[in-house]
Amino acid sequence: MKGIAHFASGVAAATFFPWTLAAAQEGNPLYFILGGAFGILPDTLDFKFYRFFYKHDIYIEPVPNETTPQDIADRIAAGVALAMDREKMVRIKLSTIRLGADYWQQYTVKFDAEKQQVMVKFGPVVNTGQVPVPGTEPEKGAVGRAALPCPLHITYDASSNVDIFDGPTFGFKKDNQNGMTFHFLPWHREWSHALTMGVFFSLLLLPFLGWRAALVIVAAYSAHVLEDQLGFMGSNLFFPFTKSRAQGVHIMRSGDSLPNFTTVWLSCLLMFWNMYRFQAAPLHAIGFFQIIFWGGILPVGFFWLVMKWLTRNSKTAGHETIDTSEWEESVSV
Amino acid sequence: MSAFFIVLASTLVGTVLSCVLACLPGLHVYNIMGLLVMFIYLLADYQIILPPEAYLPFMAGMIVGWSMLNTIPAVLLGAPDESAIFTVLPGQKYLMFGRGFEGTMITGVGGLAGLFILIFIIAPLAPILLPLLQSVLRPYMGAIIWVIITFILMSEWPKGGNTGPAGFAKFFDAWKSLAAGLLTFLLAGFMGFILLYRSPISTEMAFQNIMPAFVGLFAIPWCLLNILSAAEVPEQHIADSLDVDAATILRSAASGGLGGSFAAFFPVVTGGVGGLLAGHATAQRDERVFIMSQGVSKLIYYTGAFMFFFVPGLGLTRGGGAWIMKSLYTPQTSYDYLMILGAIAIAGGVSYLMMEPLTRGVIVLIRKFNYRYISLIALGIIMLLVFLVTSWVGLFIMLVGTGIGLLPVLFASRRLNCLGILLLPIACNMSGFGPTIAAWLHLV
């Protein structure tokens, strides 16, 4: 999920504790701040700290107008072959291809588990907003293909776009089924996205901030981890007791607009409800279901229905997907 | 003349005047409104008393016209050069693709959508919902501002550290922009404390206390960037139609409507902050949606905050426009509210109609004259205004603000961090420890 969704749910979780509201009424925003900060912290740890120190075995840094899709496919396949000889995970870093100040050459990497191969294809040039620059869409661009030396078990999306800023990391590790497990962004949602880390941080700050703050920290941090579990990638929930990410429940994708917005909005409604019921003498009489229905279900549902109707003919309506169906017809090189 | 015609005439005059003024880069409508209030007081000294029907719709027209059209200079007179491309808005990318006309007109459509939301959704609900929201949220306003500050500071994304081997070099490269963002926020906050507790601006001009700092933080770096920029503005294409559909308008209206309403209701939260929160919340990536939602958000923020001032029985003063009006008039009945709504509706329609000719006019202007000279003239006008209102001391404050405002430009961090000037001191004050910090800083 997006940062703001985690942030808002962290604050919402904090408002369930009466001391959060009591302190805020007296001018102390500490618990509110802790809720938001620890709600977003797992991603902050990964994206602002850990990823810069994460070491890779292979760096694929394509040179603009020189490197071909086949070069990239070959190097990925070589990485998988390397992983066959190792017990540890082989980490491959794919760099983006920057063509100018605001231009990036997009390319897509697809793993075909059935045919046991990796395919790479260059897409359009995109700007930093990931919007294709008109006229740069390749009609039937070359597809690089390389055979993989073993069966591949895919735990995340089989296709990944590489375009702006930082490229993805792929991890390959031998599994118990005589094959290789593919891990997308192995540095993400590893130790940082564990329920146990929330407890760790709360214990760390307990002597300084007290048990009330510790409870807020656990609640906000756990909210983040559990929300992420609704997606595809999942998290390593009980690090260091568990070693790998538990599969997500595949309900939503992290970049989808509607689940993100719904989470933020629901969090705001819950905050409002908690603040409302904490009033000593409320001036207005409203109930929880009234707030949820009039403030949530009705407007969000109406918006969703109208959007559904307006985008009924759009192929990618709902969430972003990578369409690789036409690759089979493309010319191989 | 009947009240109807007075209201209509003053709305139209205010709207047309602000639409033209909106084309001047860096000039803020609140500065002009402040001067107008001074002028009204001056008239009163000469026993010339203007009726509220003359100046209230005029002010409403000023705010609506400016909030609808101030995108024109933002898009057409803000050409970024190569080094600044990551810090520029999609509107400026439109300019560099020769689509500046389209970019401004898209925000105009957003403004119109914002007007629709304001008049047909927010205005009827405001007298019912706002008192409820106000009564529940009032004790938590301080905490909410702190939460917003936390999000602004924690949500900035590292822009470097994308290539090369893992290690501290990569980490420091990534953290350059983040550290500059934090520094900008703290310095701006410190400046805010000084202006709040020991302002060098004379008491007669206290209502323009923050104006020179804002000009320094936001307008001057923009003008300087334009003047120093190595970019050439390409020939601008006048499009026959806009590349937007109903879904884009709906998405933009939802995102911008939320951001604008949030900013209009909560104290100290500006349209930029509201837009940032709404953009994140609705996970928008489409640049057209971004541009249009800015149009929606801006109109609802500026006009909505002004409109809330007139909601019967609410007593809510948000935004510079409402604060300036508060020194002149206290709204009494629903007559005022309905009059303001009528003025807003008329002004919105008129300003949208003025958008196309004025955009074409500015395009002709930048075709004939180098935009650097236009920015130079704009810089001169802004500095003159600061000098006239706040004298030399204002120019000094502006200069300090410029130094802080250039940090995000140089390090590619968020300019929004400059809002620390308002957010930090006011959040500290709302939480009750502002005076203690001011004492630490030897300001009291």
Side-chain angles (χ1 to χ4, degrees):
Chain A
M1 271 190 169
K2 296 274 179 190
I4 195 168
H6 293 308
F7 188 88
S9 26
V11 179
T15 59
F16 278 94
F17 298 105
W19 53 83
T20 300
L21 301 169
Q25 285 192 355
E26 288 164 14
N28 175 8
L30 176 72
Y31 304 115
F32 268 83
I33 294 173
L34 286 175
F38 279 87
I40 203 174
L41 189 68
D43 283 345
T44 304
L45 290 172
D46 278 353
F47 287 95
K48 290 190 184 173
F49 295 92
Y50 186 44
R51 77 176 160 121
F52 302 113
F53 297 99
Y54 192 81
K55 289 192 164 58
H56 297 87
D57 302 289
I58 297 172
Y59 289 87
I60 301 178
E61 297 186 339
V63 181
N65 305 320
E66 241 179 68
T67 308
T68 64
Q70 188 61 48
D71 297 335
I72 299 171
D74 287 341
R75 292 205 63 194
I76 294 172
V80 178
L82 182 67
M84 292 283 290
D85 305 325
R86 281 198 190 178
E87 286 306 312
K88 281 178 72 178
M89 180 191 289
V90 167
R91 301 147 167 190
I92 302 177
K93 169 80 182 174
L94 289 154
S95 290
T96 50
I97 309 175
R98 195 172 169 180
L99 299 178
D102 191 34
Y103 298 124
W104 310 78
Q105 172 64 62
Q106 187 182 74
Y107 62 97
T108 306
V109 179
K110 182 188 178 183
F111 292 98
D112 189 335
E114 205 177 303
K115 292 184 179 167
Q116 219 171 294
Q117 65 176 358
V118 57
M119 294 182 284
V120 178
K121 186 182 177 188
F122 281 5
V125 173
V126 298
N127 64 21
T128 309
Q130 289 173 309
V131 178
V133 176
T136 62
E137 294 89 350
E139 282 182 6
K140 275 203 170 182
V143 177
R145 294 170 200 269
L148 299 174
C150 59
L152 196 64
H153 304 119
I154 294 165
T155 57
Y156 193 66
D157 281 349
S159 304
S160 309
N161 273 342
V162 185
D163 40 36
I164 62 164
F165 291 126
D166 202 11
T169 298
F170 294 158
F172 297 97
K173 194 172 188 308
K174 268 199 295 195
D175 56 31
N176 301 329
Q177 302 158 51
N178 293 325
M180 193 70 65
T181 303
F182 164 67
H183 299 271
F184 183 71
L185 295 187
W187 50 264
H188 185 34
R189 301 193 190 174
E190 208 188 37
W191 57 272
S192 63
H193 283 59
L195 294 167
T196 40
M197 284 306 288
V199 177
F200 169 76
F201 281 120
S202 69
L203 292 175
L204 196 71
L205 293 172
L206 182 69
F208 308 102
L209 301 176
W211 63 271
R212 290 186 174 91
L215 282 180
V216 169
I217 290 169
V218 172
Y221 208 94
S222 305
H224 183 128
V225 175
L226 296 175
E227 278 167 359
D228 275 350
Q229 206 56 25
L230 299 175
F232 282 60
M233 189 183 277
S235 303
N236 185 359
L237 294 173
F238 299 102
F239 174 87
F241 307 107
T242 49
K243 301 292 177 202
S244 57
R245 295 187 292 217
Q247 276 271 310
V249 293
H250 295 212
I251 289 178
M252 49 157 284
R253 283 172 184 279
S254 59
D256 286 356
S257 303
L258 198 69
N260 274 290
F261 175 69
T262 306
T263 307
V264 175
W265 196 241
L266 184 66
S267 300
C268 290
L269 292 177
L270 289 174
M271 279 180 235
F272 183 78
W273 166 245
N274 285 330
M275 290 171 185
Y276 168 79
R277 67 197 176 99
F278 200 72
Q279 291 181 112
L283 294 174
H284 306 82
I286 42 169
F288 177 73
F289 291 105
Q290 275 177 298
I291 289 177
I292 295 296
F293 179 76
W294 292 105
I297 296 171
L298 197 71
V300 176
F302 178 73
F303 178 80
W304 181 78
L305 280 174
V306 176
M307 279 305 293
K308 197 91 182 154
W309 181 70
L310 288 174
T311 57
R312 60 194 181 280
N313 295 326
S314 168
K315 273 205 295 188
T316 55
H319 52 69
E320 288 165 32
T321 52
I322 302 169
D323 184 7
T324 57
S325 55
E326 83 288 7
W327 283 25
E328 299 306 319
E329 297 155 25
S330 305
V331 183
S332 291
V333 289
Chain B
M1 208 189 321
S2 74
F4 172 78
F5 286 107
I6 295 175
V7 169
L8 185 66
S10 60
T11 303
L12 291 174
V13 174
T15 309
V16 172
L17 179 69
S18 72
C19 285
V20 175
L21 289 174
C23 296
L24 288 175
L27 197 64
H28 202 290
V29 67
Y30 292 161
N31 304 144
I32 308 297
M33 284 176 71
L35 293 176
L36 284 170
V37 168
M38 284 170 65
F39 180 66
I40 291 170
Y41 278 126
L42 193 71
L43 288 178
D45 288 346
Y46 290 97
Q47 307 302 318
I48 303 168
I49 310 294
L50 291 179
E53 286 84 357
Y55 61 80
L56 291 180
F58 183 86
M59 297 292 191
M62 290 280 293
I63 289 186
V64 174
W66 187 83
S67 57
M68 181 83 90
L69 268 80
N70 81 331
T71 325
I72 295 178
V75 174
L76 297 178
L77 297 172
D81 64 9
E82 282 262 300
S83 60
I85 199 84
F86 290 130
T87 60
V88 300
L89 297 172
Q92 288 157 344
K93 288 184 194 169
Y94 265 64
L95 176 74
M96 299 315 281
F97 280 123
R99 296 169 67 191
F101 176 80
E102 213 181 320
T104 49
M105 290 310 294
I106 288 175
T107 56
V109 175
L112 212 53
L115 190 73
F116 182 88
I117 294 172
L118 205 59
I119 298 291
F120 294 107
I121 301 175
I122 298 177
L125 291 176
I128 306 159
L129 280 183
L130 290 189
L132 167 67
L133 289 173
Q134 181 78 337
S135 74
V136 174
L137 299 177
R138 189 185 284 129
Y140 305 102
M141 286 297 181
I144 291 169
I145 303 299
W146 278 110
V147 163
I148 292 168
I149 290 175
T150 310
F151 182 73
I152 290 175
L153 296 180
M154 288 192 76
S155 64
E156 186 158 10
W157 202 250
K159 294 186 183 70
N162 298 323
T163 52
F168 278 101
K170 199 171 177 178
F171 175 72
F172 288 134
D173 183 38
W175 267 78
K176 265 190 306 197
S177 60
L178 298 182
L182 289 171
L183 183 69
T184 306
F185 185 86
L186 289 174
L187 287 176
F190 180 52
M191 191 177 181
F193 264 104
I194 295 173
L195 291 177
L196 199 66
Y197 282 92
R198 196 178 272 188
S199 177
I201 306 276
S202 66
T203 45
E204 294 83 40
M205 288 296 162
F207 67 97
Q208 296 281 24
N209 185 21
I210 208 85
M211 177 259 221
F214 253 72
V215 166
L217 289 168
F218 295 101
I220 303 285
W222 180 29
C223 288
L224 289 177
L225 207 66
N226 280 355
I227 294 164
L228 300 173
S229 168
E232 288 300 326
V233 178
E235 181 69 24
Q236 298 298 306
H237 169 68
I238 308 290
D240 295 331
S241 62
L242 302 177
D243 179 25
V244 289
D245 53 17
T248 307
I249 295 174
L250 189 65
R251 272 198 203 102
S252 315
S255 169
L258 275 174
S261 311
F262 187 84
F265 180 74
F266 286 96
V268 206
V269 179
T270 63
V273 177
L276 171 90
L277 297 174
H280 276 261
T282 51
Q284 299 300 347
R285 258 188 196 168
D286 189 330
E287 289 185 338
R288 290 169 309 163
V289 174
F290 179 88
I291 292 174
M292 197 184 289
S293 68
Q294 291 299 313
V296 181
S297 171
K298 208 155 40 78
L299 191 123
I300 293 182
Y301 163 60
Y302 283 109
T303 312
F306 187 73
M307 188 187 87
F308 289 166
F309 180 61
F310 295 92
V311 174
L314 185 65
L316 192 70
T317 314
R318 296 282 185 261
W323 281 106
I324 289 169
M325 287 314 301
K326 200 174 185 176
S327 64
L328 199 66
Y329 184 76
T330 305
Q332 282 141 16
T333 61
S334 51
Y335 170 83
D336 291 330
Y337 188 50
L338 294 173
M339 178 175 69
I340 288 298
L341 288 182
I344 288 171
I346 294 166
V350 172
S351 51
Y352 181 74
L353 292 175
M354 289 190 71
M355 186 116 197
E356 187 178 335
L358 283 171
T359 306
R360 283 175 185 269
V362 174
I363 287 175
V364 169
L365 204 69
I366 55 173
R367 199 179 288 152
K368 285 192 174 166
F369 305 98
N370 190 317
Y371 78 94
R372 288 187 198 88
Y373 297 130
I374 300 172
S375 300
L376 201 63
I377 292 166
L379 183 69
I381 293 173
I382 300 165
M383 287 176 67
L384 184 69
L385 196 71
V386 170
F387 179 75
L388 288 176
V389 177
T390 57
S391 183
W392 290 105
V393 75
L395 282 181
F396 176 71
I397 294 170
M398 185 195 78
L399 203 66
V400 176
T402 304
I404 299 170
L406 280 171
L407 278 174
V409 176
L410 296 174
F411 290 92
S413 56
R414 266 189 201 150
R415 285 194 185 184
L416 205 63
N417 289 310
C418 293
L419 281 178
I421 193 169
L422 288 179
L423 289 169
L424 196 59
I426 291 180
C428 289
N429 278 356
M430 288 175 95
S431 296
F433 45 81
T436 313
I437 294 175
W440 286 347
L441 298 170
H442 299 285
L443 294 171
V444 287

